[in-house]
Amino acid sequence: MIGSGFGAGVGIHGLGMVLFWGLLILGGVWLVRGLSGRGPATNRGGRSAREILDARFARGEIDAEEYGRNRKQLTRDTRRTGADH
């Protein structure tokens, strides 16, 4: 007798089941992290730190002294990391 009828089919189905559950679990983790606001720190507006600082100053949320101090800190950080504003 050449085979019992199970052969490679079990291996393919087993791999499919592992992929199915893996994707299901990853999707659940992604969904929970997205809904809870956790996960990688992102700026949802797509604005730079400098743009946010400018907007806060324009709205009067911070005074000129705090604006200058924060702007100086951002400039110092930009030089250190080599990033654009």
Side-chain angles (χ1 to χ4, degrees):
M1 186 172 208
I2 294 181
S4 62
F6 293 105
V10 172
I12 292 172
H13 290 293
L15 179 62
M17 187 62 90
V18 168
L19 287 173
F20 170 77
W21 284 108
L23 290 174
L24 189 68
I25 291 169
L26 286 174
V29 169
W30 175 78
L31 183 65
V32 168
R33 289 180 68 168
L35 292 176
S36 69
R38 298 189 60 167
T42 57
N43 182 357
R44 295 187 191 274
R47 299 183 303 166
S48 70
R50 173 69 187 278
E51 291 169 330
I52 294 169
L53 180 64
D54 290 345
R56 289 188 65 206
F57 181 60
R59 287 191 302 261
E61 293 178 12
I62 57 176
D63 60 11
E65 182 181 332
E66 185 174 356
Y67 174 78
R69 188 173 54 246
N70 288 335
R71 185 171 174 203
K72 186 183 291 187
Q73 181 65 43
L74 285 173
T75 303
R76 198 173 17 226
D77 289 346
T78 301
R79 283 191 207 136
R80 189 175 334 140
T81 62
D84 292 334
H85 34 319

